Amino acid sequence: MSDANVRIPEEAKERLAAIAAAEGLSLRAYLARLAETLLTPAERAERAEKALAALKEWNGYAPTAAEEQDLDSVLDRRLAQVTGR
């Protein structure tokens, strides 16, 4: 296992350390677990493709690019409302 130095704001480090401690983990262990659970952009795109293919096969759902963009806009707007952004 190799070590890496990552520069982040002190507040971010303290927040991550508190989250890790609350879960009974060291910051190192928490970050390693986080890295294992997050998807790369390529992995997310691959999953989205598979999901669309499954929906199309299951019920014929095949949105156009414009429909996907509209749905993304709705989702972005709703997430912004919930997160206050």
Side-chain angles (χ1 to χ4, degrees), residues 12-67:
K13 179 187 172 224
E14 290 172 5
R15 180 175 172 78
L16 289 169
I19 294 167
E23 295 189 25
L25 298 170
S26 68
L27 180 55
R28 173 189 236 160
Y30 179 77
L31 291 174
R33 187 180 75 182
L34 184 64
E36 290 172 4
T37 61
L38 295 177
L39 299 175
T40 66
E43 290 167 335
R44 283 195 306 273
E46 180 182 352
R47 284 194 181 186
E49 260 183 57
K50 287 180 179 179
L52 281 174
L55 284 170
K56 186 176 181 181
E57 181 180 325
W58 177 58
N59 67 4
Y61 181 72
T64 65
E67 289 170 329

